[in-house]
Amino acid sequence: MTINIDSVFFTLVMAVLFLFFFLRTARKATVGVPGKFQCAVEMIVGFVDGLVRETFHGRSKLIAPLALTIFCLVFMMNFMDMLPVDWLPALWGKGNELAGHDPAHAYLRVVPTADLNTTLGLSMMVFILIQVFGVRHKGIGTFVKEAFTAPFHAEGTVMKILLAPANLLLRVIEELVRPLSLTLRLFGNMYAGELIFILIALSSGMTYVMAPLQFISGFVWTAFHILVITLQAFIFMMLTIVYLSMAAESH
């Protein structure tokens, strides 16, 4: 795992913007006729709160704020892909050139979720929360017991002992697959989307005949990619809620 400064920087920028706009809206919220941005924020909060109430069957004051934060932060990081693919990297390269450095080695990744390390970090935090929720809602004794007695249940001490290794193996695989799937799904979609934008941008330099085709393909892919970035943020949030709900329930 590598800590890339550009990914960390843009992640922090998106986090600060999220906190600034949502806290500002909450403090200036009015019971009268709300503004357009307050309406948008209220719709997002109500939408996420409704999903949490329907999906999470335990009791926790953390789930709804966590789900809201995940959805908005992942969406904002994904939305950086809507910027011109070479705009900020070109500015970064020019700044390095003016500073006397080689612009060819000035790398800048604008979309944090197109960095495998960012999505892995997010998924690892969800993985840790799953274990914490399991212990808090079931107790350490029941949590450990379920690892050896589910999904295969048996009557009798001998059969329970014989099935314990298989149950533990399946439990370990199940727990490891969750962060892995969260990591690769978000990273794969955003990385592929970024590559397609780059390929479309490169096609304009071939011939003047390709310019209209590039404009059309770029417009179509941008419109489709807006759906992709929203859907990926929703899926990451929804799976997090489902995993935490499963961790809080007893077999």
Side-chain angles (χ1 to χ4, degrees):
M1 187 172 183
T2 305
I3 299 177
N4 295 315
I5 303 300
D6 49 0
S7 297
V8 173
F9 172 77
F10 284 108
T11 299
L12 291 176
V13 169
M14 294 300 103
V16 170
L17 289 175
F18 163 67
L19 289 173
F20 172 76
F21 285 114
F22 272 68
L23 289 175
R24 184 171 178 268
T25 302
R27 289 170 180 169
K28 293 189 175 183
T30 174
V31 294
V33 180
K36 294 181 179 179
F37 194 78
Q38 181 180 333
C39 281
V41 171
E42 288 179 353
M43 287 176 62
I44 296 172
V45 172
F47 171 69
V48 174
D49 185 63
L51 286 175
V52 172
R53 291 178 184 273
E54 294 175 2
T55 309
F56 186 77
H57 304 129
R59 297 180 63 86
S60 174
K61 295 181 179 180
L62 174 67
I63 295 295
L66 174 67
L68 177 66
T69 302
I70 287 176
F71 176 75
C72 292
L73 187 57
V74 173
F75 174 81
M76 292 175 70
M77 290 192 290
N78 292 349
F79 198 80
M80 292 296 290
D81 218 3
M82 295 293 100
L83 296 176
V85 71
D86 57 348
W87 180 38
L88 290 178
L91 290 177
W92 179 250
K94 190 64 177 178
N96 274 263
E97 184 179 2
L98 294 175
H101 303 295
D102 185 5
H105 293 87
Y107 302 108
L108 183 70
R109 180 177 294 281
V110 178
V111 186
T113 45
D115 181 359
L116 185 61
N117 299 282
T118 302
T119 58
L120 177 61
L122 292 171
S123 301
M124 289 304 297
M125 289 308 301
V126 172
F127 173 77
I128 293 172
L129 281 172
I130 291 173
Q131 312 312 314
V132 171
F133 265 67
V135 173
R136 283 188 59 186
H137 284 78
K138 303 173 184 176
I140 187 67
T142 304
F143 180 80
V144 173
K145 181 182 177 182
E146 282 188 354
F148 293 94
T149 58
F152 299 121
H153 301 277
E155 296 295 334
T157 305
V158 176
M159 287 302 299
K160 289 182 178 179
I161 294 175
L162 291 176
L163 290 175
N167 283 330
L168 180 62
L169 177 62
L170 290 175
R171 179 61 177 269
V172 170
I173 294 174
E174 178 186 4
E175 294 298 323
L176 293 180
V177 162
R178 289 173 178 176
L180 185 64
S181 63
L182 286 174
T183 299
L184 296 180
R185 181 184 295 105
L186 181 57
F187 162 74
N189 280 274
M190 299 314 301
Y191 186 76
E194 195 175 47
L195 284 181
I196 293 175
F197 274 123
I198 293 173
L199 292 174
I200 294 173
L202 290 174
S203 66
S204 63
M206 296 178 183
T207 61
Y208 289 107
V209 180
M210 294 290 290
L213 181 61
Q214 184 220 16
F215 176 79
I216 295 172
S217 58
F219 178 81
V220 171
W221 178 247
T222 300
F224 178 74
H225 202 56
I226 292 175
L227 175 63
V228 172
I229 63 178
T230 307
L231 185 61
Q232 289 305 312
F234 173 79
I235 291 174
F236 199 99
M237 174 199 69
M238 201 65 207
L239 287 178
T240 300
I241 299 173
V242 170
Y243 291 157
L244 292 177
S245 180
M246 292 172 63
E249 294 176 351
S250 297
H251 288 282

